[in-house]
Amino acid sequence: MAEKQKMKISDKLKIGFLLAYFLILTVERVISLVSVFLGDFSAYDALDWYMTALTLFALFGAYVYLITRCELFTKSYNGEGASTIVSPKNFGRLSIAAGILLLGGMVHTDGTIPGIQFTSYGMILVSMAVHTAVQVRENGGGLKRWLSFAYIVAFSMSIPVVYHSYIELSWLFIPLECVVSAGMVILFTIMLKHFYEGDGEYSFSIVPFLVMTIGDAAVIYLRWDEEINFFVLIFASLAAVLWIVGKLLRAAKKQ
């Protein structure tokens, strides 16, 4: 009888870090919601309630999706016996759940703890790095795959967090930052899904790039006199450089 094989260490690491992201960000978001509901409701404005509602939706939606649509492990059978794996499809669905939860992580509600949030996001990045390393080992092409990894990371870091603003054009800025933030989270989720379901190489699509460039530029410009968002500015600039390099490499490959 064939011997049962163990799940790959790389699969354990990838899924372990993704699940750590869910756990850490969930704890942080719950702490924030407790702070919100124990606060002074009379002081909250429409943006506060939007951010609270989005956080509640993100938590509820992410875990409903996890429970109803996600399988953590899959049995694979071959000539050497049965093995437990985390298939690309498993990772793709986990990416969607991660993106739903991230919608609630990109709003600055009362009680937000940025350090814990960044730690949770770091778990996704480590999982992505493991996936990239495995794909490079198995398929080669280290430059294009690590470049893809770096671009997706820079893109994710360029997503603006929704904050209050008291500029003269706040009536324009606040809806804009909400749309740009949520829109970029959705695009990042799609990128992450394809990243895990594929071989770690990104196509450097122009649509997410244009949304990032135009959206981030508008958000940074409108709030420039109140506060310059250097974090978003730096990572959006880095992502733009990486996108151009990636496009040039793909064009050279086709020649």
Side-chain angles (χ1 to χ4, degrees):
M1 184 175 179
E3 182 181 354
K4 185 176 180 179
Q5 297 179 344
K6 294 182 180 179
M7 185 170 60
K8 292 180 180 179
I9 294 177
S10 59
D11 282 347
K12 291 180 180 179
L13 289 173
K14 288 192 293 182
I15 199 167
F17 282 113
L18 278 178
L19 293 178
Y21 155 79
F22 281 101
L23 175 62
I24 296 169
L25 187 55
T26 296
V27 169
E28 190 278 335
R29 289 290 76 197
V30 169
I31 291 172
S32 177
L33 286 174
V34 170
S35 177
V36 168
F37 287 111
L38 290 179
D40 181 8
F41 285 12
S42 64
Y44 296 159
D45 58 16
L47 180 59
D48 288 307
W49 289 117
Y50 162 78
M51 294 189 293
T52 301
L54 185 61
T55 301
L56 286 168
F57 163 79
L59 283 167
F60 180 76
Y63 281 95
V64 167
Y65 191 89
L66 268 176
I67 294 168
T68 62
R69 299 299 305 275
C70 296
E71 276 187 328
L72 296 184
F73 309 110
T74 301
K75 289 291 184 181
S76 176
Y77 299 93
N78 52 44
E80 298 179 354
S83 58
T84 303
I85 65 170
V86 187
S87 71
K89 186 176 181 180
N90 295 142
F91 278 113
R93 289 181 175 177
L94 279 172
S95 298
I96 295 174
I100 295 172
L101 184 60
L102 186 59
L103 283 169
M106 298 306 294
V107 292
H108 194 83
T109 48
D110 282 352
T112 292
I113 310 174
I116 296 180
Q117 287 188 333
F118 276 113
T119 300
S120 71
Y121 304 149
M123 299 298 101
I124 295 182
L125 304 189
V126 174
S127 178
M128 290 174 62
V130 173
H131 181 69
T132 302
V134 170
Q135 294 301 322
V136 170
R137 184 188 64 198
E138 295 179 351
N139 301 305
L143 176 60
K144 61 186 179 182
R145 288 186 169 83
W146 284 112
L147 182 65
S148 297
F149 165 79
Y151 173 72
I152 296 174
V153 169
F155 182 94
S156 71
M157 292 297 169
S158 71
I159 301 173
V161 176
V162 176
Y163 286 93
H164 280 87
S165 177
Y166 302 97
I167 61 175
E168 185 176 351
L169 293 176
S170 60
W171 59 270
L172 173 62
F173 172 78
I174 289 175
L176 178 66
E177 70 170 346
C178 292
V179 171
V180 172
S181 180
M184 288 184 66
V185 169
I186 292 170
L187 289 171
F188 169 66
T189 303
I190 295 170
M191 294 161 68
L192 191 64
K193 179 178 183 292
H194 291 313
F195 172 82
Y196 277 117
E197 290 182 341
D199 59 3
E201 184 177 355
Y202 182 59
S203 63
F204 293 94
S205 170
I206 193 170
V207 173
F209 172 75
L210 288 178
V211 171
M212 176 198 71
T213 303
I214 297 171
D216 281 351
V219 168
I220 293 170
Y221 174 76
L222 285 173
R223 203 179 175 214
W224 189 271
D225 290 334
E226 182 182 50
E227 182 181 354
I228 302 173
N229 194 333
F230 284 109
F231 188 87
V232 170
L233 178 60
I234 290 170
F235 278 101
S237 300
L238 176 60
V241 171
L242 293 170
W243 184 86
I244 293 170
V245 174
K247 274 293 187 184
L248 291 175
L249 282 178
R250 289 180 66 84
K253 181 181 176 180
K254 293 179 181 178
Q255 293 179 354

PDB file of all heavy atoms in Angstrom, residues 11 40 237:
ATOM      1  N   ASP A  11       3.674  24.890   1.787  1.00  0.00           N
ATOM      2  CA  ASP A  11       2.226  25.071   1.892  1.00  0.00           C
ATOM      3  C   ASP A  11       1.830  25.413   3.326  1.00  0.00           C
ATOM      4  O   ASP A  11       0.963  26.256   3.569  1.00  0.00           O
ATOM      5  CB  ASP A  11       1.488  23.811   1.446  1.00  0.00           C
ATOM      6  CG  ASP A  11       1.428  23.674  -0.068  1.00  0.00           C
ATOM      7  OD1 ASP A  11       1.725  24.664  -0.761  1.00  0.00           O
ATOM      8  OD2 ASP A  11       1.084  22.586  -0.552  1.00  0.00           O
ATOM      9  N   ASP A  40     -18.594  58.254  22.308  1.00  0.00           N
ATOM     10  CA  ASP A  40     -19.674  59.246  22.311  1.00  0.00           C
ATOM     11  C   ASP A  40     -20.324  59.287  20.936  1.00  0.00           C
ATOM     12  O   ASP A  40     -19.793  59.880  20.000  1.00  0.00           O
ATOM     13  CB  ASP A  40     -19.096  60.610  22.676  1.00  0.00           C
ATOM     14  CG  ASP A  40     -20.166  61.701  22.716  1.00  0.00           C
ATOM     15  OD1 ASP A  40     -21.367  61.364  22.614  1.00  0.00           O
ATOM     16  OD2 ASP A  40     -19.787  62.885  22.833  1.00  0.00           O
ATOM     17  N   SER A 237       5.077  55.889  -5.879  1.00  0.00           N
ATOM     18  CA  SER A 237       6.200  56.177  -6.783  1.00  0.00           C
ATOM     19  C   SER A 237       7.014  54.919  -7.051  1.00  0.00           C
ATOM     20  O   SER A 237       7.411  54.649  -8.195  1.00  0.00           O
ATOM     21  CB  SER A 237       7.100  57.261  -6.171  1.00  0.00           C
ATOM     22  OG  SER A 237       6.376  58.460  -5.953  1.00  0.00           O
TER      23      SER A 237
END
